[in-house]
Amino acid sequence: MIVPAHVPVHVDITTSMVAVVTVLAALVFTLATLARPSRATVTWGAAFGLGVLGAYLWLAGNQTSDPLMRAAASGLLLCFEPLVWIGLRMHLRRRVVGWPVAVYLAIVPSLLVLTAKTPVYLLTFHTVFVVSGVFAAFVGYELLRRQPGPRDILLPLALASCAFIVVAVTAAVAAAMNQGVSTDEQLSTLRGMNAVGTLVLSTCAAFTLVLMVRAEATPPSAIEAAIERARWRLQKAGAQNEQVWSLLDVRLDDPADLREASTGSTFAMIADRFHDDIQDALPAAADAIRIDDTRAIVIIRGSEEAVRFHMRDILTRISTIERGDPIDGIRASASIGWATVASTGYDYDELAAAAGAAAVRARAAGGDRWKLSTSSDAPAAEVEAPTSVPPAGRTTLER
């Protein structure tokens, strides 16, 4: 009888890192980059692509004990956080400053490769490790400063990024204090930390980025199509000189506080009810465009008295707490900005800007009210309002 020989299979942390990073990159490519192509998702796809390349170089460097290959792999892996940060700013529609990331991507891998066989490699690695940690801190700040999405989706990447800067600074301080430890021992420790950190960070990043992209309520194409229909209606009204058209900017008050006080699923129910209440309060001829979970644009035809009636109905419905409701106990309110074609004109962008500025004033006055746009609400006013303004107390409906 022939007994087959058994070859032991050894799976170490490096092999696990390669497998996990490859799977996560495939998930990000298919569920985010290809499903919702945009500048942000393409940038995140590039980040995971560099991560896969760095992981395979890391595995090859460990197998061959080639310091140049290990250095190149480290440089590519450290480029992950800067790309995630700039992609995040693109996704949140904030001003993008690309030159620091471009400089980092160009210099860091080359610098590590050039110093790989020199005595200054350890110092160089700690320096770029700390700089990468600064980008990680930027990621955590972007995610937490305005709560751009449900808290349970954002926390994994936010916490992992904050932990990154702590580990980077701690490693640098420990290297400066432990003068008796050899360079080889320090590098061996750093390689292990790098592998484990790559596993944790890439997993948290894939979870947060994919869910943040997929959780968007309305695809941008649908929003753009609805806005184009609104433009057409206003242009037609202008051609017929109809003076009874208005644009309303309806915004949920204190969305960041509501997210803090609820889970992701509960906040989704609050957002859905917010938009349902708007639809239920409007006449059939009005169009309500769901811009995001906390904001809607309404195009409505009617006299000033009729528009006031519908706005009061919207605010009353949103602030009403019904017994037996799944979100019983959580009171929501809204602020409405109102711009009329008689005072602002028929251009959609000018109406949206004026109504947006009026909505900001309504929220700053305490929320749960509406404000009519004035001459001070210039067409160039910023349409996007702060996410949360502390309420000034119990409010009333007023113009």
Side-chain angles (χ1 to χ4, degrees):
M1 182 177 179
I2 301 176
V3 179
H6 293 280
V7 179
V9 178
H10 177 64
V11 179
D12 58 7
I13 186 64
T14 303
T15 308
S16 302
M17 178 185 71
V18 171
V20 171
V21 171
T22 302
V23 171
L24 294 176
L27 291 176
V28 172
F29 290 151
T30 55
L31 298 180
T33 305
L34 297 179
R36 302 285 177 84
S38 65
R39 289 196 305 160
T41 56
V42 169
T43 302
W44 292 332
F48 276 88
L50 284 180
V52 170
L53 179 58
Y56 279 92
L57 280 177
W58 188 271
L59 179 61
N62 276 353
Q63 295 294 327
T64 60
S65 299
D66 186 349
L68 294 178
M69 201 170 292
R70 286 173 174 170
S74 297
L76 293 176
L77 293 174
L78 289 175
C79 292
F80 182 80
E81 281 284 356
L83 286 173
V84 170
W85 170 68
I86 198 169
L88 191 61
R89 290 191 66 86
M90 293 174 182
H91 180 75
L92 299 177
R93 295 178 178 86
R94 294 169 184 162
R95 189 169 66 92
V96 176
V97 182
W99 68 264
V101 176
V103 170
Y104 187 91
L105 297 180
I107 292 179
V108 168
S110 303
L111 187 62
L112 289 178
V113 170
L114 290 174
T115 59
K117 295 183 178 180
T118 66
V120 298
Y121 176 75
L122 183 62
L123 176 61
T124 303
F125 183 86
H126 278 298
T127 302
V128 298
F129 195 22
V130 171
V131 175
S132 184
V134 172
F135 283 105
F138 290 163
V139 171
Y141 174 72
E142 295 292 345
L143 289 172
L144 297 176
R145 68 166 176 158
R146 287 189 183 178
Q147 294 287 342
R151 179 180 55 186
D152 46 1
I153 291 178
L154 303 179
L155 277 180
L157 179 56
L159 294 178
S161 297
C162 293
F164 188 105
I165 182 62
V166 173
V167 172
V169 173
T170 302
V173 172
M177 296 179 61
N178 294 334
Q179 301 296 333
V181 181
S182 66
T183 300
D184 290 339
E185 291 176 337
Q186 293 187 52
L187 286 175
S188 178
T189 302
L190 285 174
R191 293 186 189 110
M193 291 171 53
N194 204 358
V196 174
T198 300
L199 281 172
V200 174
L201 185 59
S202 58
T203 301
C204 293
F207 177 89
T208 293
L209 299 180
V210 169
L211 289 185
M212 189 166 60
V213 171
R214 305 288 294 192
E216 292 181 345
T218 309
S221 57
I223 297 175
E224 292 168 4
I227 290 176
E228 285 304 314
R229 287 195 300 270
R231 292 183 192 276
W232 177 81
R233 294 191 70 175
L234 290 170
Q235 289 172 1
K236 186 176 180 180
Q240 298 177 0
N241 196 30
E242 296 183 357
Q243 299 285 318
V244 290
W245 287 85
S246 299
L247 185 146
L248 309 179
D249 190 332
V250 188
R251 305 186 181 195
L252 190 65
D253 289 332
D254 304 314
D257 293 340
L258 290 174
R259 285 192 176 102
E260 285 288 338
S262 60
T263 62
S265 58
T266 303
F267 181 79
M269 295 174 63
I270 294 173
D272 289 339
R273 176 179 163 178
F274 166 70
H275 288 281
D276 290 342
D277 288 339
I278 294 172
Q279 293 284 1
D280 293 342
L282 293 174
D287 285 339
I289 307 170
R290 181 168 178 161
I291 302 299
D292 54 37
D293 285 345
T294 64
R295 183 180 175 212
I297 294 291
V298 175
I299 304 296
I300 185 171
R301 183 182 187 276
S303 64
E304 290 191 3
E305 182 181 355
V307 174
R308 289 192 188 97
F309 171 80
H310 292 302
M311 286 192 296
R312 292 189 182 100
D313 195 12
I314 290 173
L315 295 176
T316 301
R317 288 173 180 269
I318 292 173
S319 61
T320 299
I321 301 177
E322 299 179 358
R323 292 190 177 184
D325 195 295
I327 56 175
D328 185 17
I330 300 179
R331 184 184 184 275
S333 64
S335 298
I336 304 177
W338 176 20
T340 66
V341 298
S343 61
T344 309
Y346 295 91
D347 183 82
Y348 171 85
D349 294 323
E350 293 183 0
L351 283 166
V360 172
R361 290 193 291 108
R363 181 176 293 176
D368 197 16
R369 66 185 67 203
W370 56 269
K371 291 285 186 179
L372 180 65
S373 65
T374 63
S375 58
S376 61
D377 298 325
E382 186 180 3
V383 177
E384 293 294 333
T387 309
S388 173
V389 176
R394 191 167 182 84
T395 59
T396 58
L397 307 182
E398 67 173 27
R399 180 157 42 141

